[in-house]
Each structure stands twice: as C-alpha cells, then as structure tokens.
Amino acid sequence: MRYLPLTPADRSSMLETVGASSVDELFRDVPEAARLSGPIAGLPMHASEMAVERHLGKLAAKNLDAGSAPFFLGAGAYRHHVPASVDHLIQRGEFLTAYTPYQPEIAQGTLQVLFEFQTQVARMFGTDIANASMYDGSTACWEAILMAARVTRKGKAVLSGGLHPHYGEVVRTMAKFTRDEIVSLTPELSAQTDDAAVIAAIDETTSSVVVQYPDIMGRIPDLEAIAEAAHAAKALLIVVVTEPVALGLLEAPGHLGADVVVGEGQSLGVGLQFGGPYLGLFGCREKFVRQMPGRLCGETVDAEGKRGFVLTLSTREQHIRREKATSNICTNSGLCALAFSIHMSLLGGEGLEQLAAINHDRTQALVERLTQIPGVSLLSDAYFNEVTLVLPRDAREVVRELADKGILGGVSLGRLFPEQVDLHNGLLVTATETVTLEDIEEFAAGLAAVLEGEAA
Amino acid sequence: MRYLPLTPADRSSMLETVGASSVDELFRDVPEAARLSGPIAGLPMHASEMAVERHLGKLAAKNLDAGSAPFFLGAGAYRHHVPASVDHLIQRGEFLTAYTPYQPEIAQGTLQVLFEFQTQVARMFGTDIANASMYDGSTACWEAILMAARVTRKGKAVLSGGLHPHYGEVVRTMAKFTRDEIVSLTPELSAQTDDAAVIAAIDETTSSVVVQYPDIMGRIPDLEAIAEAAHAAKALLIVVVTEPVALGLLEAPGHLGADVVVGEGQSLGVGLQFGGPYLGLFGCREKFVRQMPGRLCGETVDAEGKRGFVLTLSTREQHIRREKATSNICTNSGLCALAFSIHMSLLGGEGLEQLAAINHDRTQALVERLTQIPGVSLLSDAYFNEVTLVLPRDAREVVRELADKGILGGVSLGRLFPEQVDLHNGLLVTATETVTLEDIEEFAAGLAAVLEGEAA
Amino acid sequence: LEEALIFELGCEGQTGVDIEPASKAVSPALAKFRRKAAPALPGLSEPEAVRHYTRLSRQNYGIDLGPFPLGSCTMKHNPRLNEKMARLPGFADVHPLQPQKTVEGALEVIEQLADWLMKLTGMASVAMSPKAGAHGELCGLLCIRAALDARGESREIVLVPESAHGTNPATAAFAGFKVQAIPATPEGRVDLEALKEKLGPDVAGVMITNPNTCGLFEPDLKEIADAVHEVGGYVYCDGANFNAIVGRVRPGDLGVDAMHINLHKTFSTPHGGGGPGAGPVVLSEALAPYAPLPFVTRGEDGEVRLVEEENRGEGHERAFGRMVAFHGQMGMFTRALAYILSHGADGLKQVSEDAVLNANYILRSLEDVLEAPFGKSGPCMHEALFSDAGLPEGISTLDIAKGLIDEGFHPMTVYFPLVVKGAMLIEPTETESKQGLDRFIASMRNLAQRAREQDESLHTAPHFAPRRRLDETRAARKPVLVWKGDEAA
Amino acid sequence: LEEALIFELGCEGQTGVDIEPASKAVSPALAKFRRKAAPALPGLSEPEAVRHYTRLSRQNYGIDLGPFPLGSCTMKHNPRLNEKMARLPGFADVHPLQPQKTVEGALEVIEQLADWLMKLTGMASVAMSPKAGAHGELCGLLCIRAALDARGESREIVLVPESAHGTNPATAAFAGFKVQAIPATPEGRVDLEALKEKLGPDVAGVMITNPNTCGLFEPDLKEIADAVHEVGGYVYCDGANFNAIVGRVRPGDLGVDAMHINLHKTFSTPHGGGGPGAGPVVLSEALAPYAPLPFVTRGEDGEVRLVEEENRGEGHERAFGRMVAFHGQMGMFTRALAYILSHGADGLKQVSEDAVLNANYILRSLEDVLEAPFGKSGPCMHEALFSDAGLPEGISTLDIAKGLIDEGFHPMTVYFPLVVKGAMLIEPTETESKQGLDRFIASMRNLAQRAREQDESLHTAPHFAPRRRLDETRAARKPVLVWKGDEAA
C-alpha cells in the first residue's frame, strides 16, 4: 500500500509504546456491534496505480471532450485556452498541498497571491474591494443577496429574468429555508433585456436587484438605468458576471453603478471540469467590508517591519463567529483563485482586452454563418461571445441530433428553462478563441442538415 | 512575444545606456553581406500557445501510441508503468531548469540525487561504483570498450552476436575512426547463446569482451564462464543490460565476474519517447575510477562540516582535460537519472523484484498463448520478459500486417539484422507489466489471422 | 525574501500571452457598452510570471515538505496519480451542460464514488453537489428541514455539543434553526443525560461530531440516535473526523441520518491553500428523498442517469431544490475515486488503523511533558489533544505553535476545541512515517523543555520562517485589501 | 537543511509501488540465473519519496528562481508549453522501432525541426541524432573524416583557437585528429594571419566558435572559411553561441561546413541539472552525404522517410555509420520545435537582438567597476566578458562568484575563456527583464565595492546558501561515490 509508510515492524514497536497489544484495542470505545471485523464486503481490494489509471482512463474515454469536437457551449461555463504555465505552477507542492493560511509566517505564498487576486478582481469588476473567492458564481450570488439584506436591513430580492436559471434556483432554494422573499421575473425570448420590468419590480421593501451582464441569453442590460432605480429605493444593485472575459470589452459593472459584483471565474485558469471546482468572485463597495462574506487577505507588517499578508476580519467567519457568522463559506476556492490570478497576471489588462476581442470576433463569424441557414435567426445583435439563436423547432432535439454527429452545438433554452415552453426554440451558442473557422463550418453544415432533416 | 520581457520602452532606455542608436549597431561586426535585413523568408511568424498546441497535437495524433494498441515491442526499449509522482517531481523548476551542478553550494538537490543514483546503479549492477549517467546504453557500451582499452592497454574488443545490433553498429562506427579493432560474432537463430564462440574469440590481444544480458534474442548467457576466459586473457568482461528490470530476477552481472556493467536505463522512470532522451548506465570496479568516463558525484563536507556533495575527478573530463579527456561525454542525462532514481526509490529492491516477477509472468502467458498458433515456435525457454519466436515466414511482413490491424506486435529480426537472411523469420516479442491478458488474446488472434492469410 | 507584487513587477499595456488578432471590428451594437479603458492590470511575460509564482510558492509550507499535524483537518499525502487522473481531457475538458450521452463516463465517476461513500458509511443515498464541509452541513440540515416540512412539522431546535466545530452552530443558524448547546462530560464526551433532557417535540435534530473534537469516539452515539429518533428528530453527524473510522465503522450502523464527508480530508483531495474542497452528504432512508438536484442515480437497468429540474418527476421529485449551479466538485470526485480505488476496502481499513495508531503514539510519547486532558479516558482516535495547563506562566500554546515552525513543522491546531483551555490538537494522519513522528516528538519535547526553562525566545518565534510574527491587529483595524500603489502617485 | 539519504530514510524489503502479484512461478529454465537476493535498496512509500525529492529540489537553484548568467551556456526560460507537448502520448509513448506508418507524426517532427534548422543556418542538411553538443562536434568531425576518406585523403591536423571550448580539442582528439592551436589577437579574435600560416595539405579543417568565447563576433570568418576551403579543408563552427545571431545571421552564408546546435541552449530545452541535451549538426553540401543513420528526409513526393541500415541504399548510402541506438533526443526535438514555432521567424530575430542588447547593457553598466578586457573592441554579442584584473590583491573571481550566490543569483561562468585571466563571462539571455538586469547590476556593483573595501567575508561566501564552500579536494583525494553506511555495521 504505497501511501502508507508504516512497516509491520514500525507498527509493533509503536503498539508497544502505546501499551496496546493490538490496534483493535485502540478502537475499544466503538460498540462491539458496530465494529467491522474485516474489509467491507462487496468492495474491491487495493489496486496498483496502473489499474486505477486503466479504470479511470476508460471512464474518461466514454466522454466526448470539448477538444475532440466542434464545441459551442457556454451558459455559465466557458472554454478558454489556459497557458501551460498556469497548470504547472498550481501543481507546485507548496501551493497545492498547503492548508488555509492560518499560520501566515509560513503561508506568505498563498497570502500574497490572494492579495494580488483581490486586487485583480476588484480592478476587473470596477469595485473598491474583492474577497479571496467563494465556491462558485451561484453561491456568490446568493451570498450577495444575503449581504444586501444585512446592509439594507430589508429582505426582498428582485431577480432579472436574464439571470442564469441555475443561479435563480440556488437563490430560491436557499431563500425557502431562510424565508427571504425572492421576486423572479420571467424570461422572454426578446431582443431586449428586461430592464424595464426589473425597474418596475423595485419598491421600498427591495433590498437588492440582481442582474446578469451579459445575461443568460447573451444580451446586455443597461446597468446605469437599473442602478439609478435601485439606489432611489435604497436597494443595492448586484451584478452577476458569468463570463469575466466579457469585461475585456464591456464597461466594468462597478463603473456603472453596481454596488456588488459577483461572478464565476472559471473562464480564466480553471477550465470546464464538468462544472467544478469553479471559482466564485465577489467584489463590492469598501463600506460593506465588515458585512462581506468569505475570506479576506489584508496587508500588514511583521515584527521586523517587512511587508506581509494575513487573513483578516475573520470575526465575520463562521469558524469564529458560530451562530452569528456572515456566511456559510469556510473552505473556499483558493487553488482556483491561484489559477485565475496566474492566468490574469499573464494576460494583464491588455491581454484581457485582446482575448475579449478575438472572442467577439469568432462569435461574429459564428453568427454570420449560422444565420445564413434557413429558419435560423438571431435574437439580439448586441452580444459579446454568446448569442441566442431562434430555431424553427425545439432546440433540445436539435442539440441531441448534433451530438449524434459529434458536434457539441450549444445549450438549448429548453434544458435551462424546461417549464417555459415559449423559450424552447432558443439555442444558446458561444464561440471563444478556441473555436476555429473549420469548427464553425462543421457546425453550420451539421445544423443545416439537422434542420433540413425536419423538413424532409 | 510571451517569452520576451523587454518592453519597447526598456529597449530604448537600454540602447541609450549602451550608447547605440539602434540594435543594428550592436551587430556591426557582422559583415554587411551576411546580415539579414528581416525575418528569414519562407518561415512562419510567431504563433500563440494554442496554435502551437494544435500543430503538434495533430502530429502526435498521427502516431499510434503504445497505450492505444496491444503493444509487444522491446529490443532495447521497454514500456513500463511510471508512477505519476516521478514525472511530477522531475518537473519541479529547481530540478528541471538547473544547469550542471558546477556551483555545489546551490546544487545540493541535483548532487545528492546523483550520489543516490550512483549507489542505486552500483547495487543493482553488483558493481563497486557507478557514474552519474551517460547519453544512452549504446554510447555507454562504446565508452566501456574505450575504458577497457585504456585499462588493459590493448585494443581489440570481442562483441557477442547477442549484442543489440545498433549497439554493435555504434561501436563499429566509432572504432572505424579511432582505429580500434572490433571482432563481431555473427548471431544465430539458436536456442543457445554464443558463449562458446565468444570464449573462442578471446586471445591475448583482447582488451574486452562485450556480452548482452539477457541478449538481443531474449536468451541468457553464462557470464561466469565468459568472465573466467576473459580474465585468463587479462581482458575485461563488459556486460550490457538493456532491460534493467531483468535484474530484479537475474543475478547481478557484477556478482558473476563482470568488470564493467553498462546499460540502458529508460525502463525506469524515463519511458519510450521514440528513442530518446534515454539514460546510459555505467558501473565498474572501484580500481578503474580514474579511467572512468562521465561525471562523478562524490561525498565531502562544507566549511561548517556539514555533509555535502560535489562533482569530482573532473580532471578526467574534456572541458578540463581537453585533448586528453577520457571520454566525449559532456552534457549527460541528469534529468533522466533523476527520473530513474525516483522510480527506483519507490520500488526499492523489493519492488524491483516484484516488478520483474510480473514481467516474467506476463511473458510466460504470452509465450504459452502464441506458441499454440500453428507454425509458431519458441527459440529458447530461458527468458525474462522477451523472447524470440520463429515464424513460418519473414517477420517483417508479419509486423507490418499486424500494424494494419492496430497491433504493435514486436520487432522483427529482419529489421534489426537486414543483412542476415537466416534470422528473418525471427520475431522478438516482449510483455511487461503493462500488457493485459486481453492484449495477449488480441495479439494471438491477429497473429493467427496474419499467418493463416499466408496459407490461404 | 520579499517578493514584489505583480503590480510592481509588470507594467500595464503589456501581456504575456500571444493572442491571434481579431479580424473584425467590434459590432456597432456593442459600442455603447464598451469599456473606456482596459482594467489597470499588468501583464507579465512568461519568464517573469513563472519566477514570481515559483518564488512565492517557496514562502509556503505544504504537505509535500513535511507533516501538517492540524487536528480536525486531516492533512494527509496527496497522491499525484489523482492529479493526473483529474486532468484527463475526458474529465477536465467536458462541459456540465453537454448532452448526457456525451458525458456518461463523468456521470459514472459520480455514481461510482457515491456508491463507495454509501457502502463505507452504510447509508442509503448521497447528495454529491455540496462544495465543501460547511456546505455539506447545510445540505444535511436542509434535508432535515425538508423532511420535517413533508411531515408538516416546523421544529425549530437543533442541539449542538459545546465541543462542536464552529461551522455546526453557524450552519444550523443559517438554515433557520435555533441552536441549543449540550455540555460535555469531564471525560470529553457528550453528556448523554443532559442531551436526553433537552429532547422533545421541538427538536429537529442533533449535530454530533464523531469521533469528537477531543479526539475521542462517542460510545453513546447509537443510544443518542435512538433517543432522538424516538422524539421524531434526526441525527446529523459531522464527518470531518471520518478518517479515524473509515473502513472500520459505518456511521449508518450508529443511527446517523446525515453526514457530510470532506473529500479533501478523508479522501485526500489537495487543500490548495484553502480549497476547493467537496462535501458530499450521505443520507439515511428517511432523508434520501430530499437530496438536492442535480442528482445522479443508477437505474434498474444499470444505466447511470442524471436527474435535473427538467426530469425530476422521473424519480427524484421530492428534492429540496438546488445548492450549486452545476454538478458539484467533479475534479475532486475524480481524485477521491482514484484514492479510494487505490486503497480498496482493505487499504481504507489500514488507513484508519494507522491514523489511530500514529495519534496514540504521539499521545503516549508526549503525555509526560504536556498535559493531556483526556489521556486517562483511554485511547484517542486519530488526533491527540493536549493543553497548556502544564506549561509555566507566560508560555502560551501560541508560543509552542510558533516554536514548532522553527523546528521545521507546521503547527498543530491551537485553541480548539474550546472546551479545553489552550488546546493543542495534533492529528498526524496515516501518511506519516514512524521516523517522521519521532522527529516531531523530539521537537515537541524540545519545545516543552524550552518552555520549562522559560526560554524567552519562544515568545518571538518563529525566527527562521519567511516572516516573523505578523501584526494581525493592524491588518484588521484599517484593512488594506487591494493594492493601491499606483493611486498614491 | 541536511536531507537524509534514501538509504537512511527507507528500509529494505519495503516498496512504495503496488504491483500485481505474479500468478505463475518463475520458469524452471530460469532457475540457475536467479538473483540470490534483491538489490539492497530501500523502497520509500510515496509520501516519503515526494517529500525527499521536494525538499532536495529546494536546495537547487534553477532558471525558475532567477537569472543563470552562465556565459556560453545560454540558460534561458524553459516554457512549460514545451514540456506539455513532449508529454503527448503520441510522442512520449511511442517505441523507436514501431513500423514506420505508425510513427509518421514523430518523423514529421524530426523533419520539420530539421527544416527549420537548415533554414535558420542556411545549410544543406542536418544530422539529428547526436545527443549533446560534444557529441555533435564529434559527428561533425566524423563527417569531415568521412569526406576526406571519400577523397582518399588522410589529413591529420585540426586547427583550434586558444579560446575554444575545452570540448573542441577533446573531440578532435577523440576523432583521431591532431590538434594545433591558433593564437588570439589582443582584441580577442582569431589571429587570421597566424591561421593562414598553418594552412596546408595536412589540414583537415578548423574548429571555430562564432560568436567566440570572448563574446565577440569573428568578422573574418568568411575569409577564414575561404582560405580553409582553398587548401581542401573544412570549417567546423561550434554553435554553442548561436543564440547571439539566430534569425539575423546564417552560418552557411559565412562558409561553415558543419555546426552543432545545442537545442538545450538556443532552443530552450531544459538543462535538467546536467542534461539531456541534444546536438543536431547542420552540414554543408560537401558534408551532407555523410550524415549518420538513422536519417530522416522528405522525399520528392513530400512524404517523410526514415533511412536506416536496412534501406540506406535508397538515398543515403554514404552515411558514415551510426552514433546512437535510436533516433536521437526525440523529447528535445519536440520541445525545440514548440519553441521555434512559438517564436517564428520574427520572434527568433527578436531573441538574438534582445540577447545582445541585454549583454551590452551589462557590459556598459559594469565596465566602470570591473575590468572589461575587450570592452574597447566594440559591442559584445550575447555575453559580456570581465576579468579580475582590476580587483584588489587577494580578491578572486571565485570570491565574486560565490558572493553573487549570497545576492540571490547564480554565478556567471568563471575562469573561462582561458585567454583572459580570472575571466567572468556573463550571458543574461533574452529572457531577463530590464528590472532583473538592474537588480543583477546593482548586486555586481555592490560586490565590486566590497572587493575594493577588502571585505574579508567575500572569501568565505556563500553564507546564505544551503551549504558553505565545499571541500572539493577531499572529495577527489579519496573519492566516496556510493553510500556504504550499511556496510560499516
């Protein structure tokens, strides 16, 4: 057993020191009936590295990975090229196998990275400050709503219909138990975002307004107008960004009046990973700092006056504050934050802008090509790297038929909004820098064939 | 250009310091006619990481890798499972991106590893000492012959017919220029190794006798008998080991009278890599230490009395000794030695023995199954993990036809010995721990079909 | 040893990534949304970036460098095989919303891991999506809440022992329950009688950690569970210490209804300087129907099936909702499954045996120089608890912890559990060798000796770390959370 | 900081690898060959092994930590992309003797790299198999020998400048030539007239390094080449310093017949603490027919073809033989090709420009505090040469080098080239930033200042490295090359 260093001789000598005749004696507090006499039945015994690789390799091979097919999915998880140095660096044992930096003297590596990360996120979002990460975008969104309730001492959140439905579902699930009030607007297959409806839903009891930017259908809401309405009602504007690369091209939400900006950071450094682990981003105004959820890293000095970093304001956190904690977050996404931060350090603002430009470029090419197919139309012409196409029939079947051809052709709105039949002809497609013109051509040919098949 | 840190502003300011108006001025010693005015024509410009990955990924996909096919090749390069931790550790920047440890105070990592490596090799080979690695097995073999000539002050080497033909070819090529005499025995498709012929070829002018163990056809020579004859003629016995895993089961050559043991170390830690980089191993008697080729790491103490390691006896080496150097080796295979040493540290003597046992086990299963096929016979029944099968026709065609079926079915003796028609029905097959019973079944079915095809 | 910040190293307008230039102009419809200026962030060339992070990493301590004896955190060896497996493109490069038939292998991984977790715990079901331990606790309590709702009851009280992890009461409060504390006995265990007295129709359930945070097994857990069940409540078990009993005891056999499992503890997914973790929650028959979506299950036909909002009616209609956007921590699932398959049923049993043996070895090798408050209670489980009671005036647990840094070790957990004054909770785990433990014990004895000798230098330790003690008060008083060096100018 | 040896950490009879047990007994025919006892080697558990090597690595300095200004070694950034590419199974997990149609992609890599090397050097052919620079030198000289043999001539003399790498004369001697030295001019260049005087019918060729080891370009190389060719000799160029001119000058245009290219220098394959390197040799039309086997070539039909002994008659029948068992350093080829494709023709030109600019920046920033023997000869190329001539009595080049370690840098190349007393040869490469160079310059100026002040502590530097100065004499006097700790008992 390759991970266990004790030898049989070690075990004997240690038992002697301990004063036990056998290891069973050490388990004597376990009630007799609950003690298992041998390995649990029906489970395999230990296996060699090679055997484990074979087993998992076979399972991996059963999946169609994004690199092996023309790939156009987004909807909250984006495929971007990650420089090889990122994955190399996060695997340095000192980063990978460290614990939460509770002993700052020997954790400056992690801590300085978190400080740099917080600065990067804040500058990208246009917020004063940011925290050291959350589980993912959806839980960050819920934490933002909770924080707004604490700050405003009100309990009603208004969710735009453009919010990712899984985010909305997480919010509604949690609110069911905490008894917060959630007003969820109904999404529509329209060229416009639902800014007007959102503004109309705000009243004096509203604590927060949650708007996604760009929204789940790839459209771009007018944040300034919504911010004005929210602030007039003493509510906070929470902006959700599921594709941070968009902020290389679009104005930062913090510059448009957002009080809190949360997001999903997997686009940079982290990868698709079938949905997790991902990286929750959280930025806000400086005045909310003591109401913020999650860990914070702050600058200080050591006994010799050298600059150093520590986790700070941890009295907000549950392992200290217990029943009065500001959030449920404990373990967070440190390693994903590291990956994000390295990728962002390589890109810089300049690289982020270039990356955004090529994403938008590819999506323009995709839209041009797909809208040449009879029956396919574009929902809205203000988009970044993701658009909704309207098809002549239920997009769920179309996606499945494309998969049969080896094409991963987007996400159907029917899968995201199963209960809203009026959206079911919508197909959400994304093109990042990883998409080639050949991919687009193959997708177009496949989509045309699938749609023609219907006519036939 | 992602690897170049200078910014345009840096370049201007540095040119100012240097006192040059342009970088061209710095190249003024280059004759006008030889200065290229712009990038070399006909070559592509710089490319993104993603583009390079695509290009090389496509080329890689054109190869049939050993993990994607039933695989039975050996003949001097063996496929073994390498623990994931080995590749992780050798990629630590401090190991990977270090230079030759000429500054020992900041190279103890590399140096201690080399000291451990030398000890591991010596104990595996059963020799007193070992060096810090050579380019590969074939060049180590030639260096051993040269050393024997220096030690014995004689110039004739006798090569067994069981020596890998590429090793023999390297030796003969080099000897052509250095004017050493090489007697190469002719290999035969026989159950016995050519010990008797080797012994018969030894005379008083012989400096060394070179015998491979196990030999190129998988047979095992009687080293003690050859050692006795060599020593009687004051010649050195050089034993070549191309598959070190064999030494988990077979007696160490150093314990059987070998004066020098050289080998190819790629089996442990290094992998197939289409033939390189590989790892030359070199062990010998302690009394030859000042005649040895290659780098040596030795133990010493620092100014505070702490144990430490340094490169030593470098006056033998060419960068110091110039025309009088003991070998052509300069850069060697440090990183491959590290990989070998880590793999060996995990295995230990016990693990090497177990690994050898499962290799032999799989080969027994392979032999049992393949010799059931009509027309297929086994050359010799004393084998480790590699055997020669005798087929009813030229094995070169059989190998190609198996490849058409997606089976990598061994190495034909015809490819190794094109000029020896009497060997052409020989097929060299190997089964290591990476071979499954299903692989063997698939191979057997494929081989039977190919051979039947001939009958039809 | 001071490493410049990226903002001090690089300059804006540069980038260390080569990106193909765009061939088209930005679409006019986007014009009004455009960013006025790129984020003010430097782009480092790759050589600069590699060095920055390599040098920073060397200011960190990790399991790869030495023991990390943090009680209740189970910092064990992280096998590289697991990293390799998680990076197979078939796992790392698949999208959570791909059509199900293109991700069957990924769903298999989730199901196979779930199956192991159920069998190792003797439970009926498992909710895989929670992102970490505390998130798993929340999931378990929400299942309890959903089960009570289904019964039409609105019980408000959750009983939590004093010695519980801080996350336990925090989670209960977050889920809308009222927390009532249960005292501990002098032997460091739950006071069974005190607990029974609090039971009644208002009690939704109890949250217990077993082995508990004093490092002891709760022998009465089954009796507690029976009593709680009798009044209609549920038993939540904090699984943070599962490493002590994995393969030897199944919590389901002790009457537990819900328990989260920290894959980053017991099943060795790397902690990464603060996550990602993963906190699947095993559930009893009673709570199984309420596990949140998405839910992966193996059908009668042997096929693995994914249940989401779209098809919840087909078999998991009582799910209490959704806790995360996608499937949970897939990358951690793959690593944990690789770890579990490597150990097998026999190896996992050896894991808990060696973990417990190592802890007892430390307990018995140090109890003559450090006060072990429950040393007399019998063997400890996988962690050994000491206190500063025997140390001379003026030497604190913190001094010992910081002194340990100078000895080349990561400190143990300090000042936890709260029930012991100046607690030092040491958890070696099974992946420490005897030689390593002996070195650690020698260092601890050396520190105890220095403490007895009132060695002043202990107060200012560490002396040989990348930093001396850091001013945490200053950091909290006027928090500096982002770099503003360029604004000063 | 002393790390135990594996032999002190582990014990025999243990193993850190799980291996399936064999199901069959060892075959009887093998009985008499069996090993009496397994090699006396410890097997470390994986946690022990990972820690041992991680801790050892931290006693090393690498490019990833900071500059490595070793003149003539070209230690530049090693991109991780290249590591990733070399590990693709299609390259890393293919056997050198697979049927050619199953390895066409691998042969393509060799051919594409060869094509770039030929175009970058303006040469007709390239021998890919040499394993390192010195091996490449040998290959080039053997080509010359083969060409002379083909002409029926047995010329014995090779002219080598005094300033050449030690490997040059060593290689020439190894290939059976007699070496004659050519002096250098006071400006640090080959003495053209002295060379011409030695030319004659006995001269097989000349070995020249350009840029030379004084860091200067040899402006007369073309004239030298013409003169050598006129008497029937060949010109070997040591390509170790190709980084100075890559993309800007083609050695073929200067009359070179053979030049090895250190892929681990110019093309950034990592040095790995002493190899593996790779030393392909570009060849002129005159020498091309003699390149050794195996030989990869692109046929008229555009297909890549492998020539080995079996088919040498089909196009490469004059090959002088074989230098290695297989195809050479495939892993290095993949890395070098990834590097070359990343830079492209424009990027490689920028490489040499930045490398030269960085070196001149150092030269001009230090020449007021350190003697630069050829500072007046004009710009240097990619390395700046200083000497200890200006240092006070008693302070040596070695002291400066060791002092640099305490400043956090790897030392420069010292006491080479031999033509300069107490030489310090500094090669920054193009992958150092200006900020990094400025730090290095400040450290060098600080050391020069300390030297002027006769700072005694320089003699005992380094003080802050993992080890103080090591006793090399003791190591050489009675060499201890293997551990024998268990024999003592």
Side-chain angles (χ1 to χ4, degrees), chain B residues 2-5 11 13-14 24 27-29 36 44-47 49 53 55 59-60 63-67 74 77 79 87 91-100 103-110 112 115-116 118-120 123-124 138 146 166 169-170 173-174 176-179 220 247 249-251 272-274 276-277 290 297-304 307 310 312 318 322 328 332 334-335 345-349 351 360-362 364 381 383 396 404 415, chain D residues 2-6 8 15-16 20 23-25 27 29-30 33-36 39-44 52-53 56-57 59-61 63-64 73 75 78-79 81 84 87 89-90 92-95 97-98 101-106 112 134 138 142 145 166 170 174 189 244 248 271-276 308-310 320-322 325 328-331 342-346 350 354 358 378-379 402 430-431 434 466-471 475-476 480-483 486:
Chain B
R2 58 193 181 270
Y3 306 139
L4 302 179
R11 293 189 185 106
S13 116
M14 290 165 73
D24 286 337
F27 287 88
R28 68 185 185 208
D29 289 333
L36 300 171
M45 298 295 119
H46 71 280
E49 229 189 82
E53 278 191 46
H55 180 90
L59 292 182
N63 301 322
L64 178 61
D65 66 275
R79 181 169 193 252
D87 195 45
Q91 289 191 71
R92 296 258 317 160
E94 295 93 330
F95 281 136
L96 185 75
T97 72
Y99 196 70
T100 307
Q103 297 287 346
E105 299 88 354
I106 47 173
Q108 286 299 303
T110 293
Q112 182 167 334
F115 184 78
E116 294 176 351
Q118 289 172 180
T119 308
Q120 289 173 320
R123 291 187 172 205
M124 182 181 75
S138 67
L146 280 184
H166 291 175
E169 192 57 28
V170 169
T173 295
M174 304 307 291
K176 224 172 16 182
F177 296 101
T178 57
R179 279 117 182 163
I220 305 171
L247 300 184
L249 204 55
L250 304 186
E251 187 54 271
L272 290 176
Q273 304 204 78
F274 199 51
R290 283 167 208 275
C297 170
E299 185 181 321
T300 187
V301 294
D302 77 355
E304 291 176 345
R307 177 170 68 187
V310 293
T312 192
Q318 58 177 336
R322 302 175 76 94
N328 176 248
N332 59 11
L335 199 71
S345 291
L346 286 163
L347 284 168
H360 183 55
D361 178 279
R362 288 296 149 87
Q364 287 172 288
D381 62 357
Y383 58 82
R396 284 182 292 187
D404 290 339
R415 176 156 182 191
Chain D
E2 278 181 274
E3 174 70 15
L5 293 165
I6 50 170
E8 297 157 346
T15 176
E20 232 178 297
S23 58
K24 297 173 200 298
S27 75
L30 210 60
F33 299 107
R34 286 194 68 174
R35 192 158 185 141
K36 280 169 209 74
L41 294 171
L44 306 185
H52 176 66
Y53 292 102
L56 274 183
S57 77
Q59 298 194 20
N60 254 21
Y61 185 97
I63 268 286
D64 280 6
C73 296
M75 290 290 286
N78 301 136
L81 170 65
K84 186 173 173 188
R87 284 168 172 80
D93 200 17
V94 290
H95 190 286
L97 296 173
Q98 283 183 208
K101 64 185 294 192
T102 68
V103 292
E104 284 176 349
Q112 289 184 13
L138 186 57
L142 295 185
R145 176 69 88 184
F174 200 89
R189 296 193 161 99
R248 281 192 71 99
H271 209 286
E308 288 182 314
E309 285 79 359
E310 188 175 2
F320 73 67
R322 173 182 279 268
Q329 309 289 64
M330 181 66 192
S342 294
H343 278 90
D346 53 339
Q350 190 70 52
D354 284 359
N358 278 355
K402 299 296 184 189
E430 75 281 3
T431 61
K434 177 171 181 297
R467 287 293 182 289
R468 303 295 299 276
R469 285 195 204 184
L470 286 142
D471 188 344
V480 178
L481 306 180
V482 296
W483 185 76
D486 48 357

